[in-house]
Amino acid sequence: MRRAAFVGILHWIHLRTLFENDHHFSHLSTLEREMSFRSEMGLYYSYFKTIIEAPSFLEGLWMIMNDRLTEYPLVINTVKRFHLYPEVVLAYWYRTFTGIMNLFGVETKACWNITRLGLPSEVESCEGLGDPASFYVGVIFILNGLMMGLLFIYAAYLSETQLGGLITVLCYFFNHGEATRVMWTPPLRESFAYPFLVLQMYILTMILRTSNNYRRHYIALCLANVAFMLPWQFAQFILFTQVASLFHMYVVGYIEPSKFQKIIYINMVSVILCCILMFGNPMYLSSYYSSSLLMTWVIILKRHKIHRFGISELNFWLIQGCAWWLGTISLKLLTSKILGVSDHIRLSDIIAARILQYADFDTLMYTCAPESYFMEQVTPLIYTKTLLLPVVMVITYFIFKKTIPDVFCALSTNTYLRKQLLEHGELVFHTLQLLAFAALAFLILRLKLFLTPHMCVMASLICSQRLFGWLFCRVRFENVIFGILTVMSIQGCVNLQNQWRIRGEFINLPQEELLQWIKYNTRPDAVFAGAMPIMASIKLSTLHPIVNHPHYEDTDLRARTKIVYSVYSRKSAKEVRDKLLELHVNYYVLEEAWCFVRTKPGCSMLEIWDLEDPFNAANPSLCSNLLQDERPYFTTVFQNAMYSVLKVNREADHIRLF
């Protein structure tokens, strides 16, 4: 435990150092700290801010559960829509911490004036856990420090030696830039969710390995599932890959039926608990994860009847596998239709768009984002330089070498006459998860956050006596491991030094100027529209109502965003103005860069709109026209180097101009 605590503290310090080096966060003003939470990060943080600034915790909670600022004029439950339990918990902790400290007269933050470029030339900066942004980020880093300690324990258990835990930790540090992005983007949902996936997989590994499992293991698995799913809408798809791996292991004979049934029932309870805690959010019941659980339960009940047909073992496996996949997909489509969530975009939809090369406005909003690109070609080379990929490939080869003969042997034996389970079930599970995570990371770049840490866990098996006992009988165990770690550290230390060399300071004067102008020159109830990232900042820092935001999964929100983004299309100014008025928009924040930026072929706003709206493809760009002359349908009321604020003129204003 002491070693786990040590590596946890080490990782916490590492994350804090990288974040501070990149942002110079301790010397930023409150507004600058809020601006540094770009796009959806700012949206999430805004609800934490709402709760801590409310007269009481319960009033703050009521405010975010009955929110009119985020999708004006709609009233939405943001906890249900945006998975905000982390913000609710952190806000409660913050209010409790500051309340206790104030009660005893203990100072929780220190403030001073900072001289900087731009206006105002002096700003107040506060440091300490009493500063809301510092508290928020600090807790996230502590959680991910704990995750590293847990990763050590997990890998040590899997490899049956503490040296395996050390290898996993070193591999993680040596490949840190490929393993996580929490040090650059703390408020993202994955920062809260992933540590609980590590806990969940550790508990599941214990259940798979031991023959006598206690009730507390299954209860812990249920709680870990819930903690993983509550903060992140994409967590269910990751758990779906687990169910897929476990089901196929069960069919072949790596898991005893009673244990597998308990695991499935626990997962079902987890889904129901999440659905209740998320106020009946139908996406939990219409996911591939919940559909696969139901289909697995049906097959478990009916497999005896299938076996009575006297078919061969191979056909018995194939029938169960095909029934599971077809049943899961059909059930998912059916439940989505029944529950009315068939139009919501999920991780599975983005993956399908990748595989089928399908593109429309909504999928391009995701796939054109850099984090949703295919895996970079340089990534395998990075893994190879630190020896992570070669080590994992060798381990995977020996796992296959052990298991494939067992599978062929099982084919010649009737499932119900077989007296013993196949061995090494937990190793097969981790190998199947490795393949699943590799496929996901190849299709969507940001999902490397699952692949890289899992590769690090798999690397611990280089110490496994079960896999390499034959080698350690001939060569000294310590010499082999020391040699591998030496080669790993050559490039690994270079990678760490490159991270430590990153130096920056957050500054965005045009955005700060925009937010200050909005705050002091518009009515508090003035409604804003614009690109999703800046809308989150406007809501967070000015508390003005907005009509669209970066949380793009909801059907109605996507329709609103398409109307808002029509400013960057080739439609007529009058048509766009009329649609914005229907959304009650008073001001539109126009960003010149969005008119012309092209992250990759087919991903400029004009190219996306030409695909979506070919009827207007021959017309000139509306954005370019508005930059030259916005009248009569809009009026420029603010402008700087990056942003223009256009007042949306109503008919009366339009007539008055003439």
Side-chain angles (χ1 to χ4, degrees):
M1 284 299 292
R2 274 186 279 180
R3 292 184 179 92
F6 174 74
V7 297
I9 293 170
L10 205 63
H11 192 230
W12 169 65
I13 294 170
H14 183 62
L15 293 175
R16 284 189 60 195
T17 302
L18 293 179
F19 184 71
E20 177 63 23
N21 288 350
D22 184 53
H23 288 72
H24 210 198
F25 199 70
S26 61
H27 286 65
L28 298 181
S29 67
T30 299
L31 179 58
E32 287 173 318
R33 286 174 181 170
E34 291 179 353
M35 290 194 303
S36 72
F37 298 142
R38 295 183 294 273
S39 195
E40 62 185 292
M41 294 187 289
L43 185 69
Y44 299 135
Y45 180 76
S46 71
Y47 302 110
F48 169 80
K49 180 181 175 182
T50 297
I51 297 176
I52 65 172
E53 291 183 351
S56 69
F57 171 77
L58 290 178
E59 286 182 69
L61 184 60
W62 186 90
M63 288 167 69
I64 69 170
M65 290 174 62
N66 298 270
D67 180 272
R68 285 196 69 195
L69 298 180
T70 307
E71 293 181 12
Y72 186 86
L74 303 179
V75 177
I76 61 172
N77 183 344
T78 59
V79 178
K80 175 181 178 180
R81 279 279 299 279
F82 306 142
H83 300 256
L84 295 180
Y85 271 99
E87 280 66 32
V88 172
V89 172
L90 261 62
Y92 179 77
W93 287 353
Y94 177 82
R95 294 185 71 112
T96 303
F97 169 74
T98 54
I100 293 172
M101 293 299 104
N102 291 338
L103 185 64
F104 289 101
V106 178
E107 289 291 332
T108 57
K109 62 181 178 180
C111 300
W112 54 81
N113 289 332
I114 299 290
T115 304
R116 58 164 203 170
L117 296 173
L119 294 173
S121 58
E122 277 199 0
V123 294
E124 185 182 66
S125 178
C126 297
E127 192 176 13
L129 291 178
D131 175 71
S134 299
F135 180 91
Y136 183 82
V137 170
V139 173
I140 295 171
F141 290 154
I142 290 171
L143 176 63
N144 282 268
L146 291 172
M147 183 274 296
M148 181 60 77
L150 184 60
L151 205 64
F152 174 86
I153 297 169
Y154 173 22
Y157 179 81
L158 181 66
S159 62
E160 298 176 288
T161 168
Q162 295 214 343
L163 195 54
L166 176 63
I167 288 177
T168 289
V169 169
L170 289 175
C171 285
Y172 194 99
F173 273 105
F174 291 160
N175 297 273
H176 200 268
E178 307 299 313
T180 182
R181 52 180 181 167
V182 66
M183 59 284 191
W184 316 129
T185 55
L188 291 181
R189 301 298 83 185
E190 66 207 43
S191 303
F192 295 102
Y194 185 74
F196 293 103
L197 177 64
V198 175
L199 174 63
Q200 190 263 0
M201 291 191 69
Y202 171 47
I203 296 167
L204 189 55
T205 302
M206 285 196 291
I207 291 172
L208 291 175
R209 176 175 286 180
T210 55
S211 55
N212 297 320
N213 295 119
Y214 299 102
R215 182 181 297 177
R216 67 172 181 268
H217 290 145
Y218 292 104
I219 294 173
L221 180 64
C222 180
L223 295 176
N225 280 344
V226 172
F228 177 49
M229 283 191 285
L230 278 182
W232 200 24
Q233 66 271 27
F234 291 152
Q236 296 167 75
F237 193 81
I238 302 305
L239 293 179
F240 165 68
T241 67
Q242 277 193 10
V243 176
S245 300
L246 292 169
F247 175 78
H248 291 88
M249 288 169 59
Y250 162 70
V251 168
V252 174
Y254 280 102
I255 313 176
E256 61 188 44
S258 61
K259 180 186 289 186
F260 183 60
Q261 276 185 295
K262 288 178 184 176
I263 293 172
I264 294 303
Y265 291 153
I266 285 297
N267 278 270
M268 286 179 167
V269 171
S270 303
V271 172
I272 293 168
L273 283 175
C274 282
C275 189
I276 293 170
L277 289 170
M278 291 298 287
F279 310 95
N281 190 327
M283 294 189 73
Y284 284 100
L285 302 179
S286 60
S287 64
Y288 279 106
Y289 174 49
S290 55
S291 299
S292 68
L293 291 173
L294 196 56
M295 202 62 218
T296 301
W297 178 65
V298 170
I299 290 174
I300 289 172
L301 294 180
K302 300 296 182 183
R303 76 193 303 247
H304 293 278
K305 294 183 179 179
I306 299 172
H307 200 263
R308 286 176 190 166
F309 291 114
I311 54 179
S312 68
E313 189 71 6
L314 177 60
N315 288 335
F316 185 46
W317 291 2
L318 291 174
I319 288 172
Q320 290 179 87
C322 291
W324 188 85
W325 281 103
L326 292 174
T328 297
I329 295 170
S330 302
L331 195 58
K332 189 269 178 194
L333 296 174
L334 181 63
T335 53
S336 295
K337 206 71 178 174
I338 292 172
L339 296 172
V341 292
S342 56
D343 293 327
H344 284 60
I345 281 191
R346 312 186 211 199
L347 184 60
S348 54
D349 300 309
I350 303 169
I351 292 170
R354 281 281 190 218
I355 296 171
L356 301 175
Q357 295 295 302
Y358 170 74
D360 61 13
F361 186 91
D362 295 327
T363 57
L364 287 172
M365 284 290 102
Y366 276 102
T367 56
C368 284
E371 63 270 18
S372 295
Y373 290 175
F374 285 107
M375 179 187 282
E376 298 158 324
Q377 293 181 355
V378 73
T379 301
L381 179 62
I382 295 171
Y383 291 148
T384 303
K385 285 183 177 179
T386 58
L387 219 61
L388 180 61
L389 183 59
V391 166
V392 171
M393 288 180 70
V394 169
I395 291 166
T396 305
Y397 166 75
F398 280 101
I399 291 174
F400 277 124
K401 188 178 178 182
K402 275 186 175 291
T403 55
I404 288 176
D406 291 342
V407 172
F408 278 113
C409 182
L411 275 172
S412 61
T413 310
N414 186 294
T415 299
Y416 292 99
L417 298 178
R418 200 183 307 152
K419 294 183 179 179
Q420 287 186 329
L421 291 171
L422 299 180
E423 295 180 340
H424 313 300
E426 76 277 13
L427 301 185
V428 174
F429 169 72
H430 281 82
T431 305
L432 292 175
Q433 283 299 108
L434 177 69
L435 297 176
F437 291 158
L440 293 176
F442 173 77
L443 293 170
I444 299 177
L445 178 63
R446 65 173 166 168
L447 296 184
K448 283 194 300 185
L449 76 98
F450 295 109
L451 173 63
T452 309
H454 193 70
M455 289 175 71
C456 296
V457 171
M458 291 288 287
S460 70
L461 291 170
I462 200 69
C463 302
S464 173
Q465 290 288 341
R466 286 190 292 169
L467 286 178
F468 299 102
W470 58 272
L471 176 63
F472 300 145
C473 290
R474 303 173 186 176
V475 184
R476 284 194 66 182
F477 167 73
E478 295 83 358
N479 292 345
V480 174
I481 303 305
F482 179 76
I484 291 171
L485 288 177
T486 301
V487 178
M488 282 182 170
S489 64
I490 295 171
Q491 183 62 39
C493 291
V494 172
N495 291 347
L496 284 172
Q497 287 171 359
N498 289 338
Q499 278 196 321
W500 293 332
R501 283 196 196 104
I502 295 172
R503 289 289 187 274
E505 182 173 357
F506 180 84
I507 185 167
N508 191 338
L509 293 178
Q511 184 176 329
E512 185 173 350
E513 190 181 359
L514 168 70
L515 295 175
Q516 295 282 21
W517 183 88
I518 291 172
K519 191 171 183 178
Y520 296 112
N521 293 276
T522 60
R523 291 172 49 181
D525 60 350
V527 182
F528 283 79
M532 290 185 279
I534 192 61
M535 286 301 100
S537 293
I538 288 173
K539 182 196 175 298
L540 167 61
S541 300
T542 72
L543 302 180
H544 276 68
I546 57 176
V547 298
N548 64 308
H549 53 78
H551 203 275
Y552 195 64
E553 283 77 23
D554 181 71
T555 312
D556 294 333
L557 192 276
R558 294 205 309 275
R560 284 167 160 256
T561 301
K562 190 179 289 188
I563 292 171
V564 171
Y565 277 38
S566 62
V567 168
Y568 300 104
S569 71
R570 302 181 190 272
K571 297 179 184 291
S572 69
K574 183 180 186 307
E575 180 184 354
V576 172
R577 189 280 310 264
D578 291 345
K579 290 288 187 181
L580 291 174
L581 288 176
E582 289 177 14
L583 293 178
H584 306 278
V585 175
N586 301 122
Y587 297 97
Y588 191 96
V589 180
L590 182 68
E591 298 179 56
E592 184 176 351
W594 282 67
C595 301
F596 311 109
V597 166
R598 186 181 190 230
T599 55
K600 66 175 183 176
C603 281
S604 70
M605 287 308 303
L606 277 179
E607 288 173 311
I608 293 172
W609 271 110
D610 287 346
L611 178 68
E612 180 70 19
D613 184 23
F615 179 77
N616 287 310
N619 295 341
S621 163
L622 173 59
C623 182
S624 299
N625 290 344
L626 291 176
L627 288 171
Q628 293 172 10
D629 184 7
E630 78 284 3
R631 297 171 298 178
Y633 301 105
F634 300 90
T635 302
T636 301
V637 291
F638 170 85
Q639 191 169 25
N640 64 18
M642 288 180 63
Y643 303 99
S644 297
V645 178
L646 307 180
K647 183 182 178 184
V648 183
N649 294 330
R650 300 182 181 277
E651 283 299 329
D653 300 326
H654 176 196
I655 293 169
R656 199 178 299 122
L657 288 171
F658 292 94

